[in-house]
């Protein structure tokens, strides 16, 4: 067998399949056409160690002398086959008695994104238990600082950084969904890496259930990033001939900081799970009316939404039989006959007459103990309904309820012209067998999409507790967070956006006083915050003033003009020495056009804030820059001249290196800047 060199867009993966095990010799910057001689990667043998050089394999285990966290608890396996085509390698290992086989697929995309997964197959004639099967990738000694994420409801994707010391830093999710505290990405990089600089290696597990993702630096000298499904004992038992495929590990290297990761991931995601563009501007009823469903009130809201330019009207929770509050009725997916005597037809007719399409909220994986469904099928409650309820609800065992849900959802989608489902999931499962449930969910979504390919689906889980690349193969949009407070949203969107392109991330304009935090924010900041993603409104517009409605209408017009750029361009974020100043933007792929937002989270550290340096533009091109949107509040005796003049003409080089003198924004303001070819 041989050495495979998977290469694309400045990234190399070198896979050695000579000998009895496959080994990744290098994952990182492109090594060029000439790989070192065969033995170059063989290390020395240290004292007090195994007597042969320790070489990390694709499935590291005790048998080879690896005393770090193994990839497969059962072993040993030996390499029996390897081949590659089109930047994808397949390697096959087998147990000495040939009863257990593990095939690994490693593919490098044109963008330099590496995907890796194993498939274990029972080749014997007795049952085989798979105790755990993980993917591991080596990282160099220079990757000495870690970044991953934690969070809580309405505060998803809080970054946390720490040095990578000897030992394992492992993040484990047992929520039955990734959870608000999902690690999301495990990033190891050169100390001090930022958005624009530093070498970084990152992994994400494309999986919506229990999982672990970790970094390890062993005292032996090796460093790895690893991830896999978190399996409970005995969860995967394979009958003879059966296989278990792990989720995909998505792995990215960048020599240009976190933006470099997005530069690979975003185009790859856009090609792999394309969003349907243009993303319609949504009005969602949740924070506008909550459970107060009334045709008259909602009809007024429909008209208000259409008058500002919304394109989709989404009826949130509260429409189905007996659902008067969040304590009941989940599972009874019939339109409530009391509230909606003529069904949803009159509302949808109004929505369509106003020129919008219609979306509906559902939470199919759940069941309320008092529902008719629970009375009819008590055995469908996951794990028999022991353990605490959560939001007064329980989970449905999807392996049992699959057909019911497919029929009910199909009936709704057939009776009504529904363009969009907001698919919610509002509790942790608290079951040891969540993998079964996750696979059943994927099956259900796959069946539904096959029947109704035109229906878009949004993954929502109490906000952003289920945002991952596994479910993204089956949905079109994520509800990023339940908070519409723009200050929280700035941070949540910034970090979620390292992995997920903006057009997949729902971001809505909320009321002046945010419902979740009680904080009041300026309209300009709220609009600027909701401009970049899949935009929408979550506010009772009938209560908005005339001038607010005019501003919102102008914002929607701007969003529609800019969304072809915002939803296909390169996301850039500046590193700022002042944590009160955030700068982010989107630059067209051909670098002719860009939009940036400067956001002040608090008071600046200096009377004169740093200049606004705009990254990602073509250094040699001449651009015109001008402010757009609602002007932010400032406190200054005189604005910088370019702002007073209303525009400036500068090269990309000057904009990146010298920048624009910043106006003195008061806290919690946003300045939007459009950059166009001169
Ligand atoms: C949680 C979601 O995140 C909210 O947006 C809303 O849909 C509620 N559930 C409805 O119960």
């Amino acid at each position: 067998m041989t050495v495979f060199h998977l290469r694309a867009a400045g990234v190399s993966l070198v896979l050695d399949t000579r000998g009895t095990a496959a080994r990744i010799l290098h994952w990182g910057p492109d090594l060029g056409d000439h790989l070192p001689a065969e033995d170059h990667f063989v290390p020395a043998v240290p004292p007090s160690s195994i007597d042969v050089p320790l070489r990390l394999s694709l499935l590291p285990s005790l048998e080879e002398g690896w005393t770090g966290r193994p990839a497969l608890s059962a072993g040993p396996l030996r390499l029996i086959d390897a081949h590659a085509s089109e930047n994808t390698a397949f390697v096959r290992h087998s147990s000495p008695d040939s009863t257990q086989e593990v095939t690994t697929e490693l593919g490098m995309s044109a963008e330099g994104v590496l995907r890796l997964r194993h498939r274990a197959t029972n080749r014997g004639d007795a049952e085989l238990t798979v105790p755990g099967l993980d993917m591991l990738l080596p990282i160099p000694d220079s990757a000495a600082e870690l970044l991953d994420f934690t969070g809580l409801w309405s505060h998803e994707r809080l970054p946390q950084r720490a040095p990578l010391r000897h030992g394992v830093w492992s993040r484990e999710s047992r929520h039955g969904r990734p959870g608000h505290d999902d690690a999301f990405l495990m990033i190891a990089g050169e100390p001090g890496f930022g958005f624009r600089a530093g070498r970084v290696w990152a992994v994400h597990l494309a999986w919506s259930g229990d999982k672990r993702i970790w970094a390890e630096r062993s005292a032996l000298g090796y460093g790895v990033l690893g991830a896999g499904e978190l399996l409970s004992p005995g969860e995967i038992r394979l009958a003879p001939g059966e296989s278990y495929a792990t989720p995909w590990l998505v792995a990215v290297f960048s020599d240009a900081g976190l933006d470099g990761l997005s530069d690979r991931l975003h185009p790859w995601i856009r090609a792999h799970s394309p969003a349907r563009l243009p993303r319609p501007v949504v009005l969602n009823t949740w924070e506008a009316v909550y459970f107060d469903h009334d045709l008259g009130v909602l009809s007024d809201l429909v008209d208000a939404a259409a008058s500002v330019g919304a394109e989709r009207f989404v009826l949130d929770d509260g429409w189905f039989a007996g659902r008067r509050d969040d304590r009941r009725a989940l599972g009874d997916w019939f339109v409530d006959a009391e509230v909606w005597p003529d069904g949803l037809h009159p509302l949808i007719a109004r929505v369509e007459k106003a020129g919008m399409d219609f979306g509906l909220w559902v939470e199919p994986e759940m069941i309320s103990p008092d529902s008719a469904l629970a009375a009819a099928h008590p055995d469908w409650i996951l794990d028999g309904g022991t353990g605490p309820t959560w939001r007064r609800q329980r989970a449905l065992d999807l392996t049992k309820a699959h057909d019911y849900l497919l029929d009910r959802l199909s009936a709704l989608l057939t009776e009504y012209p529904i363009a969009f489902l907001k698919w919610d999931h509002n509790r942790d499962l608290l079951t040891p067998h969540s993998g079964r449930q996750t696979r059943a969910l994927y099956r259900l979504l796959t069946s539904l999409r096959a029947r109704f390919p035109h229906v878009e689906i949004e993954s929502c889980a109490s906000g952003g507790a289920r945002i991952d690349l596994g479910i993204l193969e089956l949905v079109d949009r994520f509800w990023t967070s339940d908070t519409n407070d723009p200050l929280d949203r700035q941070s949540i969107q910034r970090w979620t956006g390292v992995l997920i392109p903006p057009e997949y991330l729902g971001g809505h304009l909320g009321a002046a006083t945010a419902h979740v935090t009680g904080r009041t924010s300026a309209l300009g900041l709220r609009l600027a915050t909701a401009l970049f993603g899949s935009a929408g409104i979550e506010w009772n517009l009938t209560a908005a003033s005339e001038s607010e409605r005019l501003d919102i209408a102008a914002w929607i017009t701007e969003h529609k003009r800019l969304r072809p750029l915002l939803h296909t361009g390169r996301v850039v974020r500046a590193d700022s020495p002042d944590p009160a100043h955030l700068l982010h933007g989107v630059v067209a792929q051909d670098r002719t056009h860009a939009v940036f937002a400067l956001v002040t989270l608090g008071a600046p550290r200096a009377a004169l804030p740093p200049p606004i340096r705009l990254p990602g533009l073509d250094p040699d091109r001449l651009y015109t820059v001008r402010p757009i949107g609602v002007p932010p509040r400032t406190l200054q005796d005189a604005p910088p001249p370019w702002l007073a003049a209303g525009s400036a003409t500068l090269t990309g080089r000057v904009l990146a290196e010298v920048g624009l003198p910043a106006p003195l924004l008061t806290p919690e303001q946003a300045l939007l800047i459009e950059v166009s070819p001169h």
Side-chain angles (χ1 to χ4, degrees):
M1 282 179 263
T2 182
V3 174
F4 298 113
H5 189 185
L6 311 182
R7 288 173 76 188
V11 183
S12 279
L13 180 101
V14 181
L15 180 70
D16 185 355
T17 62
R18 298 161 308 171
T20 54
R23 304 171 203 287
I24 294 175
L25 302 182
H26 168 86
W27 167 47
D30 190 356
L31 294 185
D33 290 330
H34 303 291
L35 293 182
E38 296 186 2
D39 289 344
H40 182 78
F41 294 92
V42 179
V45 177
S48 189
S49 76
I50 55 172
D51 297 327
V52 289
L54 174 63
R55 305 194 55 203
L56 197 67
S57 77
L58 198 55
L59 293 159
S61 65
L62 285 172
E63 284 73 20
E64 69 193 46
W66 169 248
T67 48
R69 183 182 271 186
L72 176 67
S73 323
L77 299 180
R78 64 193 157 75
L79 182 64
I80 54 170
D81 183 31
H83 62 276
S85 71
E86 293 176 9
N87 250 356
T88 302
F90 298 87
V91 293
R92 205 144 53 93
H93 290 81
S94 170
S95 56
D97 62 0
S98 305
T99 57
Q100 188 179 355
E101 193 176 286
V102 175
T103 305
T104 307
E105 180 179 345
L106 304 101
M108 177 79 77
S109 79
E111 301 82 6
V113 174
L114 177 70
R115 275 208 317 170
L116 163 63
R117 81 169 170 195
H118 305 299
R119 180 183 294 276
T121 305
N122 182 357
R123 296 272 177 230
D125 40 27
E127 187 180 80
L128 175 74
T129 302
V130 180
L133 185 54
D134 297 312
M135 281 69 65
L136 265 74
L137 286 169
I139 49 169
D141 51 307
S142 57
E145 184 173 348
L146 291 179
L147 166 65
D148 68 341
F149 298 89
T150 180
L152 51 152
W153 175 73
S154 84
H155 289 287
E156 295 87 344
R157 273 155 285 288
L158 292 171
Q160 49 183 12
R161 292 180 80 129
L164 174 55
R165 302 194 177 92
H166 284 179
V168 177
W169 172 249
S170 184
R171 299 295 315 286
E172 305 185 348
S173 165
R174 291 185 181 78
H175 303 291
R177 53 182 183 174
H180 293 107
D181 63 349
D182 181 24
F184 196 54
L185 284 162
M186 183 65 72
I187 303 170
E190 292 172 338
F193 66 83
F195 279 106
R196 303 294 303 170
R199 287 186 166 188
V200 280
W201 290 257
V203 292
H204 166 86
L205 192 72
W207 184 242
S208 314
D210 292 354
K211 57 187 169 177
R212 59 182 184 174
I213 184 163
W214 75 92
E216 177 167 15
R217 172 76 56 203
S218 141
L220 299 166
Y222 284 101
V224 296
L225 292 175
E229 190 182 347
L230 198 55
L231 299 172
S232 54
E235 190 174 348
I236 305 287
R237 295 172 203 267
L238 301 178
E242 272 185 356
S243 290
Y244 160 72
T246 67
W248 285 105
L249 181 76
V250 177
V252 209
F253 161 75
S254 148
D255 59 5
L258 301 171
D259 280 2
L261 296 178
S262 304
D263 262 353
R264 297 191 190 284
L265 287 161
H266 289 184
W268 178 70
I269 290 169
R270 284 169 172 160
H272 191 73
S273 309
R276 300 173 221 212
L277 301 179
R279 308 299 305 143
V281 176
V282 168
L283 183 130
N284 182 293
T285 61
W286 180 238
E287 289 196 351
V289 298
Y290 292 104
F291 292 99
D292 275 339
H293 285 200
D294 173 274
L295 180 58
V297 170
L298 287 168
S299 299
D300 290 346
L301 194 55
V302 167
D303 295 346
S307 74
V308 293
E311 298 160 302
R312 172 167 291 166
F313 188 89
V314 179
L315 184 65
D316 209 287
D317 197 355
W319 57 268
F320 50 98
R323 183 72 164 177
R324 291 292 82 76
D325 56 35
D326 65 3
R327 298 174 159 233
R328 62 201 81 250
L330 291 166
D332 299 343
W333 302 111
F334 299 86
V335 176
D336 189 285
E338 237 171 77
V339 179
W340 300 99
D342 299 311
L344 298 175
H345 293 292
L347 179 69
I348 297 180
R350 185 78 169 235
V351 168
E352 293 195 326
K353 188 156 166 262
M356 296 183 286
D357 66 22
F358 181 75
L360 191 65
W361 178 97
V362 289
E363 193 178 4
E365 298 151 82
M366 296 296 153
I367 183 164
S368 299
D370 75 340
S371 61
L373 185 66
H377 297 285
D379 55 314
W380 285 6
I381 299 178
L382 190 66
D383 291 339
T386 53
T389 54
W390 178 309
R391 210 192 190 204
R392 316 283 165 172
Q393 66 197 50
R394 297 200 177 277
L396 255 182
D397 185 334
L398 296 186
T399 62
K400 296 178 179 164
H402 175 277
D403 293 353
Y404 165 76
L405 290 172
L406 187 59
D407 286 355
R408 258 306 69 224
L409 292 167
S410 299
L412 287 164
L413 293 173
T414 306
E415 180 175 0
Y416 296 107
I418 294 171
F420 172 85
L421 286 178
K422 176 178 178 184
W423 185 297
D424 210 341
H425 183 283
N426 283 306
R427 63 161 290 164
D428 282 7
L429 295 184
L430 306 180
T431 174
H433 310 292
S434 83
R436 230 169 30 202
Q437 182 83 349
T438 306
R439 284 186 184 81
L441 166 69
Y442 287 177
R443 246 192 335 272
L444 177 60
L445 284 167
T446 304
S447 316
L448 197 67
R449 284 181 82 98
R451 283 191 187 176
F452 302 95
H454 61 281
V455 175
E456 292 180 33
I457 301 177
E458 173 175 62
S459 167
C460 170
S462 322
R466 189 156 65 189
I467 299 185
D468 65 81
L469 297 185
I471 204 160
L472 187 56
E473 301 205 0
L474 298 163
V475 302
D476 304 85
R477 188 186 203 248
F478 292 114
W479 183 226
T480 318
S481 176
D482 269 353
T483 182
N484 294 312
D485 181 319
L487 286 189
D488 292 335
R489 274 289 183 145
Q490 280 293 334
S491 166
I492 295 167
Q493 292 171 188
R494 187 175 182 83
W495 291 111
T496 309
V498 173
L499 175 64
I500 309 287
E503 65 272 22
Y504 299 82
L505 296 175
H508 292 179
L509 168 71
T513 300
H515 288 205
V516 165
T517 61
R519 183 160 46 201
T520 300
S521 307
L523 183 58
L525 176 66
R526 282 148 52 220
L527 293 173
T529 304
L531 179 78
F532 286 79
S534 177
I537 302 169
E538 194 138 337
W539 178 12
N540 186 354
L541 277 188
T542 60
S545 70
E546 190 50 33
S547 102
E548 285 172 325
R549 286 216 222 178
L550 286 174
D551 281 342
I552 296 167
W555 167 74
I556 292 182
T557 304
E558 277 302 59
H559 176 78
K560 289 176 181 170
R561 179 177 72 83
L562 294 170
R563 68 189 164 186
L565 157 67
L566 297 173
H567 295 168
T568 60
R570 298 169 70 183
V571 174
V572 294
R573 290 146 289 216
D575 296 299
S576 167
D578 187 342
H581 260 208
L582 285 186
L583 182 83
H584 67 94
V586 178
V587 179
Q589 298 291 342
D590 65 4
R591 296 190 293 178
T592 53
H593 188 195
V595 179
F596 291 89
L598 171 70
V599 181
T600 49
L601 302 179
R605 282 198 180 160
L608 287 177
I612 309 167
R613 297 195 178 87
L614 302 181
L617 298 168
D618 178 349
D620 298 320
R621 187 182 273 274
L622 205 54
Y623 295 98
T624 300
V625 290
R626 65 182 181 96
I628 57 171
V630 177
R633 184 171 184 274
T634 55
L635 189 60
Q636 56 197 355
D637 287 353
W642 73 273
L643 256 192
S647 71
T649 299
L650 297 157
T651 62
R653 193 180 311 279
V654 169
L655 286 167
E657 300 301 336
V658 179
L660 297 162
L664 307 188
L665 270 49
T666 55
E668 305 182 8
Q669 299 293 317
L671 171 68
L672 289 171
I673 299 170
E674 183 169 1
V675 180
S676 320
H678 177 61

